[in-house]
């Protein structure tokens, strides 16, 4: 468990996660200390500050930290996070913590350490080649190695050596582009609930068993008196338990669930997609069963979000004796209150119970949904009775359950245990010898234990993934750890909102949702005019500017009172938008001869353009480009001038996006959220500087956010009204108050109306 940061210092036990030469993952327990931008690794807890670490690495501005969610490795549960260098795909480190709160503290501390190394914003623009530029950690290693005459020849081949070490455990290729975002990766979000001023659609209609009951009202039903056939209903209550404890209880599918969930009969994991997403099959009341996609995340403030919606999966067709109900959207939001000792829990459901008699549908469906929401009261009573000592599948009692496995699998496990004993005999001796030659390394790869290639067996008392074992499920192991483990997401942040557009190119993995997107060919016109403008926001697949007063930005006294103010206007004017599709990435649209940017340049006009190019990869590449124009000289806005002419690291540390789903279902709104974030800290961004423009290309494919994120919004795109605002973050009093660069409002985007390039 990590010790909370003190004077910039964070320390505690973590697990180094690596892959065996045969492709299987294993873990090694090590003591880490983060202090003064250096991450140091020890075999045991150091007894003095003078003790030398086994290895260490510097946290500079090119390091990114990503969350990979919950993962079971050799029957032990870890909350995984990874560090990687954006300039070199081989410079990475995968770590695991025993709990989600512990992982959160480490990631926050690492992110803060990275921010301290941000370059000076007044530097002139520099574009470092990712092919020829070694990160500072590699350059330091080279300097250490070349101090010895015997190692002079190593300088030329050092990078090759590191490459070879990495390739033993799997190909990297585009691994650095497949980073997750998850619930912690955007830790630079503002510590507020929302950066958007928006009315709540929820109207209270009753109170039952100590729970307040709300229904989602339509825009025209301001008093919430109208009931749909399958209404969205929410129960809200306060529980005497920490958010982490409640989260583990809700995620459990084990025997302990029968202590509070009277609607649950039996559940199993059909498929584990990643650390944040599973396909679940649950049988319950009224002879109904559900096939659900479950996604979870943890917010920066300690809030947990669990989202569900129904899917179709080839491994779990409808079963005899059960009616397959449809959960349109649902989930839990668990927010800490009373200094984290208690939790405010919101439980929402919108269910089609599939009644065959028409006259039973509306009243019976509504009453059954409310009955199901009353599980929250049972959960509250259970926590109250146990005074916070929650039962879960992670308890030692549950971990004693025996699993019946096929004989061939039992033999494989026995063979693994024998291999463990064989490798373990000499592992520590080999490691100590390796440490003598690697103590001077400073790259992330150097923190990996080079000689620890053996299977680890769970120690007694360690956390067991019982919910996985009980259902006979073990996660599949990929040969390429970056592609399989650099998983997900935090959804409520704005950079993850960009990822939502990935639904246009979702890859079918044996399951599908109930809506599908159509495609149809179009003819390209000129760049900057392919998406129609509609100021009235009445036409589908159109754009307009959003109201700036909807968004909150840092005020003049932000560093004194930590308060945000309504934006009053924008620095730039939105002049166009593109909605494109292609078989390749469409980079640097501003340089195209047929673009609006080049048309202005050909006329010698002084206007400056700012382009936000959101790239969604897939078999068909989709591009959403937003064009903003500045009519005043660039020099009159010092912060914007520094951003345009600064280097990439500075830009990544300042460019902020605020998302808002003004119209859409509850589950999509929960996925996107309304918090500002620094996009460049989570997604790979490429910058193109022209004579009269700066283009920001946001590579959504640089992160494999949970497939659940994609599925949650699949089919919803043409029913959403999406609003965004962009701002350069002010980090000093001289840079305040902040000013919005621009806003946009996208109305019911339709994939079939994207323009073919």
């Amino acid at each position: 468990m990590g010790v909370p940061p003190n004077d910039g210092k964070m320390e505690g036990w973590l697990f180094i996660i690596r892959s065996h030469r045969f492709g299987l993952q294993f873990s090694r327990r090590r003591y880490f200390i983060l202090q003064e931008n250096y991450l140091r690794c020890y075999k045991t807890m150091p007894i003095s500050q003078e003790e030398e670490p086994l290895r260490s690495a510097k946290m500079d501005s090119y390091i990114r930290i990503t969350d990979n969610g919950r993962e079971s490795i050799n029957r032990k549960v870890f909350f995984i996070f990874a560090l990687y260098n954006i300039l070199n795909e081989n410079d990475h480190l995968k770590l695991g913590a025993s709990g989600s709160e512990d992982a959160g503290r480490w990631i926050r501390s690492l992110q803060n350490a990275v921010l301290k190394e941000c370059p000076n914003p007044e530097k002139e623009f520099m574009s470092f080649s990712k092919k020829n530029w070694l990160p500072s950690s590699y350059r330091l290693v080279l300097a250490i190695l070349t101090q010895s005459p015997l190692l002079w020849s190593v300088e030329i081949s050092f990078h090759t050596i590191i490459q070879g070490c990495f390739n033993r455990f799997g190909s990297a290729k585009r691994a650095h582009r497949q980073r997750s975002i998850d619930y912690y990766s955007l830790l630079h979000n503002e510590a507020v609930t929302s950066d958007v001023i928006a009315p709540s659609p929820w109207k209270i209609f009753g109170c039952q068993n100590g729970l307040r009951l709300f229904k989602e009202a339509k825009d025209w039903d301001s008093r919430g008196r109208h009931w749909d056939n399958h209404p969205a209903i929410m129960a809200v209550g306060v529980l005497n338990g920490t958010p982490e404890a409640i989260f583990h209880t809700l995620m459990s599918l084990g025997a302990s669930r029968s202590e509070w969930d009277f609607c649950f009969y039996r559940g199993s994991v059909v498929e584990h997609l990643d650390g944040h997403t599973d396909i679940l099959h649950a049988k319950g009341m009224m002879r109904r069963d559900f096939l659900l996609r479950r996604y979870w995340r943890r917010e920066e403030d300690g809030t947990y979000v669990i989202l569900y919606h129904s899917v179709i999966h080839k491994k779990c067709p409808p079963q005899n004796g059960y009616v397959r109900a449809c959960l349109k959207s649902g989930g839990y939001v668990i927010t800490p209150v009373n200094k984290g000792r208690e939790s405010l829990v919101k439980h929402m459901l919108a269910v089609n119970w599939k009644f065959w008699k028409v006259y039973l549908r509306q009243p019976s469906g509504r009453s059954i949904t409310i009955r199901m929401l009353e599980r929250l009261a049972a959960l509250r009573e259970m926590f109250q009775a146990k005074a916070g000592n929650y039962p879960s599948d992670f308890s030692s009692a549950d971990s004693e359950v025996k699993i019946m496995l096929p004989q061939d699998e039992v033999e494989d496990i026995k063979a693994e245990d024998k291999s463990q004993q064989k490798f373990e005999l000499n592992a520590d001796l080999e490691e100590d010898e390796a440490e003598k030659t690697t103590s001077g390394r400073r790259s992330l790869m150097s923190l990996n234990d080079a000689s620890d290639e053996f299977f680890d067996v769970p120690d007694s008392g360690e956390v067991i993934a019982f919910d996985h074992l009980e259902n006979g499920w073990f996660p599949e192991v990929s040969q390429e750890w970056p592609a399989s483990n650099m998983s997900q997401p935090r959804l409520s942040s704005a950079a993850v909102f960009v990822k939502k557009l990935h639904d246009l190119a979702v890859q079918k993995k044996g399951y599908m949702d109930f809506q599908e997107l159509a495609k149809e060919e179009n003819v390209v016109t000129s760049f900057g005019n392919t998406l129609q403008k509609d100021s009235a926001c009445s036409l589908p697949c159109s754009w307009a500017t959003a109201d700036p007063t909807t968004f909150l930005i840092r005020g003049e006294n932000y560093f004194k009172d930590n308060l945000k103010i309504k934006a009053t206007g924008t620095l730039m004017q939105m002049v166009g938008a593109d909605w494109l599709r292609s078989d390749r990435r469409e980079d640097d649209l501003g340089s195209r001869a047929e673009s609006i940017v080049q048309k202005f340049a050909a006329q010698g006009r002084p206007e400056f353009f700012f382009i936000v190019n959101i790239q969604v990869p897939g078999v068909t590449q989709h591009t959403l480009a937003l064009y903003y124009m500045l009519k005043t000289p660039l020099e009159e806005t010092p912060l914007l001038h520094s951003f345009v002419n600064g280097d990439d690291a500075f830009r990544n540390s300042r460019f902020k996006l605020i998302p808002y789903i003004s119209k859409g279902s509850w589950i999509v709104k929960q996925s996107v959220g309304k918090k500002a974030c620094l996009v460049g800290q989570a997604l790979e961004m490429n910058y193109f500087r022209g004579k009269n423009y700066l283009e920001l290309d946001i590579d959504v494919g640089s992160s494999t956010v949970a497939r659940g994120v994609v599925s949650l919004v699949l089919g919803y795109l043409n029913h959403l009204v999406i609003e965004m605002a962009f701002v350069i973050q002010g980090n000093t009093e001289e840079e305040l108050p902040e000013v919005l660069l621009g806003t946009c409002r996208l109305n019911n985007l339709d994939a079939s109306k994207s323009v073919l390039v």
Side-chain angles (χ1 to χ4, degrees):
M1 181 173 180
V3 178
N6 184 17
D7 296 330
K9 182 179 180 181
M10 177 72 181
E11 60 181 300
W13 290 101
L14 292 172
F15 294 83
I16 297 177
I17 310 298
R18 295 192 60 209
S19 295
H20 190 273
R21 68 186 65 187
F22 303 118
L24 299 178
Q25 293 189 97
F26 64 91
S27 63
R28 292 293 282 173
R29 191 168 183 254
R30 292 291 180 263
Y31 197 85
F32 282 84
I33 295 179
L34 176 65
Q35 189 174 21
E36 297 178 353
N37 300 98
Y38 276 90
L39 182 62
R40 297 177 174 86
C41 174
Y42 299 84
K43 195 169 186 179
T44 60
M45 183 184 298
I47 57 177
S48 67
Q49 295 183 354
E50 289 74 24
E51 184 173 339
E52 288 293 326
L54 300 179
R55 302 170 178 87
S56 64
K58 185 178 181 181
M59 300 292 101
D60 59 26
S61 60
Y62 297 104
I63 302 299
R64 296 290 181 269
I65 299 91
T66 62
D67 165 68
N68 292 358
R70 193 175 65 158
E71 187 173 343
S72 176
I73 300 175
N74 291 337
R75 288 161 283 176
K76 292 187 293 186
V77 168
F78 300 101
F79 288 85
I80 307 296
F81 58 97
L83 295 78
Y84 69 98
N85 195 309
I86 61 175
L87 298 183
N88 192 290
E89 61 187 23
N90 298 341
D91 197 12
H92 55 75
L93 176 67
K94 185 178 179 182
L95 299 173
S98 298
S100 58
E101 297 295 327
D102 199 18
R105 285 190 291 268
W106 273 104
I107 297 177
R108 282 193 296 271
S109 298
L110 290 167
Q111 289 282 8
N112 291 334
V114 168
L115 283 182
K116 292 179 181 179
E117 291 295 306
C118 183
N120 188 335
E122 297 303 323
K123 290 181 179 179
E124 290 301 315
F125 172 74
M126 295 157 52
S127 179
F128 298 115
S129 171
K130 294 186 179 181
K131 295 182 179 180
N132 302 321
W133 181 255
L134 285 176
S136 59
S137 54
Y138 274 32
R139 288 181 278 126
L140 180 55
V141 175
L142 290 177
I144 295 173
L145 289 174
T146 53
Q147 287 179 357
S148 170
L150 296 177
L151 297 176
W152 283 344
S153 61
V154 178
E155 180 175 0
I156 298 177
S157 59
F158 176 74
H159 197 130
T160 304
I161 294 174
I162 297 296
Q163 177 74 34
C165 292
F166 178 77
N167 285 340
R168 292 176 62 189
F169 310 106
S171 171
K173 294 185 179 179
R174 288 179 55 86
H176 70 294
R177 292 181 177 269
Q178 305 298 321
R179 305 301 179 187
S180 70
I181 312 176
D182 74 206
Y183 54 80
Y184 289 124
S185 59
L186 305 173
L187 293 171
H188 314 289
N189 285 4
E190 307 294 345
V192 294
T193 303
S194 171
D195 285 314
V196 175
I197 301 174
S200 173
W202 296 100
K203 307 296 181 183
I204 190 168
F205 68 89
C207 184
Q208 193 165 320
N209 288 330
L211 303 175
R212 289 181 295 154
L213 299 177
F214 297 81
K215 59 166 293 188
E216 189 176 26
K218 303 299 182 181
D219 293 338
W220 49 267
D221 185 25
S222 60
R223 296 187 179 182
R225 294 180 178 178
H226 175 77
W227 287 92
D228 291 333
N229 290 333
H230 314 296
I233 307 175
M234 180 170 62
V236 181
V238 177
L239 276 65
N240 184 22
T242 65
E244 185 177 22
I246 296 171
F247 165 74
H248 286 309
T249 302
L250 292 174
M251 293 289 286
S252 168
L253 297 179
S256 61
R257 196 174 186 98
S258 62
E259 297 185 41
W260 64 274
D261 192 350
F262 51 81
C263 299
F264 179 85
Y265 169 61
R266 183 182 301 166
S268 61
V269 177
V270 177
E271 183 178 358
H272 175 69
L273 301 179
D274 50 58
H276 288 266
T277 315
D278 303 294
I279 303 295
L280 306 179
H281 181 227
K283 295 181 179 179
M285 54 192 289
M286 300 290 295
R287 304 297 296 176
R288 297 305 194 267
D289 71 339
F290 294 89
L291 186 61
L292 305 173
R293 184 162 188 167
R294 178 181 67 180
Y295 174 88
W296 72 272
R297 72 176 185 273
R298 182 191 182 278
E299 302 285 4
E300 182 184 1
D301 62 356
T303 296
Y304 286 86
V305 178
I306 306 174
L307 302 176
Y308 302 91
H309 75 143
S310 287
V311 294
I312 299 173
H313 198 289
K314 61 183 180 182
K315 293 183 180 179
C316 189
Q319 300 183 5
N320 292 332
Y322 282 88
V323 176
R324 181 65 53 86
C326 174
L327 180 61
K328 299 170 65 177
S329 64
Y332 299 87
V333 178
I334 313 160
T335 305
V337 295
N338 194 14
K339 298 182 179 180
R341 292 188 291 269
E342 296 180 320
S343 302
L344 177 68
V345 182
K346 301 177 182 178
H347 182 20
M348 179 272 182
L349 292 172
V351 186
N352 180 356
W353 292 99
K354 299 295 181 71
F355 289 111
W356 64 275
K357 293 184 178 181
V358 177
Y359 64 86
L360 289 176
R361 289 179 182 176
Q362 186 167 334
S364 297
R366 182 166 68 241
S367 61
I368 295 174
T369 300
I370 294 174
R371 174 67 172 165
M372 198 170 180
L373 290 170
E374 290 178 357
R375 296 180 299 175
L376 187 58
L379 184 65
R380 180 193 62 209
E381 294 304 312
M382 187 192 74
F383 270 86
Q384 185 68 30
K386 295 180 177 295
N389 295 323
Y390 65 99
S392 75
D393 288 345
F394 297 93
S395 64
S396 58
D398 285 339
S399 65
E400 296 176 359
V401 176
K402 295 182 180 180
I403 306 301
M404 300 300 295
L405 297 175
Q407 185 62 29
D408 57 345
E409 294 188 23
V410 173
E411 295 298 328
D412 290 341
I413 293 177
K414 291 181 178 179
E416 289 184 12
D417 292 342
K418 291 181 180 179
S419 300
Q420 158 71 17
Q421 297 173 3
K422 179 178 179 181
F423 282 110
E424 195 172 37
L425 183 62
N426 297 318
D428 289 337
L429 293 177
E430 294 177 2
E431 180 184 358
D432 292 339
E433 185 66 25
E435 287 163 2
K436 295 178 181 179
T437 61
T438 61
S439 59
R441 295 184 184 176
R442 295 295 185 269
S443 68
L444 296 175
M445 275 293 292
S446 69
L447 290 174
N448 287 302
D449 294 322
S451 59
D452 287 344
E453 294 187 43
F454 56 86
F455 298 97
D456 52 345
V457 177
D459 298 328
S460 60
E462 288 189 314
V463 180
I464 303 296
F466 174 74
D467 56 334
H468 298 162
L469 298 178
E470 183 181 38
N471 297 295
W473 165 77
F474 293 88
E476 298 179 0
V477 179
S478 172
Q479 298 292 332
E480 301 183 12
W481 78 263
S484 62
N485 297 316
M486 301 300 289
S487 57
Q488 284 13 98
R490 155 189 190 123
L491 301 182
S492 67
S493 50
V496 177
F497 153 70
V498 176
K499 184 66 174 177
K500 303 306 172 292
L501 296 178
H502 199 293
D503 58 351
L504 302 177
V506 64
Q507 299 177 354
K508 305 301 180 185
K509 299 296 183 180
Y511 61 90
M512 63 182 295
D513 292 280
F514 297 115
Q515 300 95 352
E516 294 290 342
L517 294 176
K519 295 184 178 180
E520 129 183 342
E521 301 299 319
N522 288 301
V523 180
V524 69
T525 55
S526 61
F527 293 101
N529 296 304
T530 60
L531 189 63
Q532 63 180 335
K533 179 180 179 179
D534 177 28
S535 300
C537 299
S538 59
L539 297 177
C541 204
S542 62
W543 71 268
T545 56
D547 182 4
T549 61
T550 303
F551 303 95
L552 297 176
I553 55 177
R554 295 182 175 184
E556 187 174 0
N557 299 317
Y558 178 80
F559 295 116
K560 298 178 182 178
D561 54 24
N562 202 36
L563 295 178
K564 293 192 172 183
I565 61 175
K566 284 185 179 181
T568 57
T570 61
L571 187 63
M572 302 182 186
Q573 175 187 357
M574 187 172 181
V575 294
D578 283 325
W579 181 222
L580 312 170
R581 71 176 184 272
S582 174
D583 58 359
R584 64 186 185 279
R585 279 178 47 170
E586 296 297 333
D587 294 328
D588 198 9
L589 297 178
S591 66
R592 310 292 176 90
E594 59 272 29
S595 73
I596 185 176
V597 177
Q598 295 304 317
K599 291 178 180 178
F600 272 65
Q603 299 173 12
R605 300 180 60 170
E607 290 84 354
F608 185 85
F609 287 86
F610 190 92
I611 308 169
V612 180
N613 181 351
I614 301 172
Q615 302 170 330
V616 186
V619 177
T620 300
Q621 175 85 38
H622 284 80
T623 298
L624 174 65
L626 310 173
Y627 295 78
Y628 296 90
M629 184 174 67
L630 178 68
K631 295 183 177 181
T632 60
L634 193 61
E635 293 76 14
E636 293 184 5
T637 311
L639 183 55
L640 179 60
H641 183 269
S642 297
F643 183 88
V644 170
N645 295 306
D647 61 20
D648 290 1
F650 172 66
R651 292 165 173 165
N652 289 338
S653 68
R654 295 298 190 96
F655 181 67
K656 194 159 57 176
L657 184 153
I658 310 173
Y660 172 43
I661 303 296
S662 56
K663 289 186 180 180
S665 68
W666 177 85
I667 196 168
V668 177
K669 291 181 178 180
Q670 286 296 321
S671 299
V672 174
K674 297 178 287 187
K675 293 183 179 179
C677 78
L678 297 170
V679 183
Q681 298 297 322
L683 296 175
E684 181 179 335
M685 296 183 64
N686 298 308
Y687 301 87
F688 297 92
R689 175 73 159 94
K691 180 180 179 181
N692 65 332
Y693 72 94
L694 175 67
E695 180 172 327
L696 290 68
D697 288 2
I698 303 174
D699 183 7
V700 178
S702 61
S703 172
T704 54
V705 176
R707 294 185 182 92
V709 178
V710 176
S711 181
L712 286 175
V713 295
L714 181 62
Y716 289 102
L717 189 62
N718 58 354
H719 299 288
L720 301 178
V721 175
I722 305 167
E723 298 186 23
M724 291 184 287
F726 306 100
V727 62
I728 300 175
Q729 181 170 281
N731 286 347
T732 65
E733 291 185 359
E734 292 75 17
E735 296 171 346
L736 298 180
E738 292 178 337
V739 179
L740 293 181
L741 297 177
T743 66
C744 75
R745 176 184 172 104
L746 304 172
N747 188 42
N748 304 122
L749 287 181
D750 190 341
S752 66
K753 295 183 180 180
S754 59
V755 175
L756 179 65
V757 179

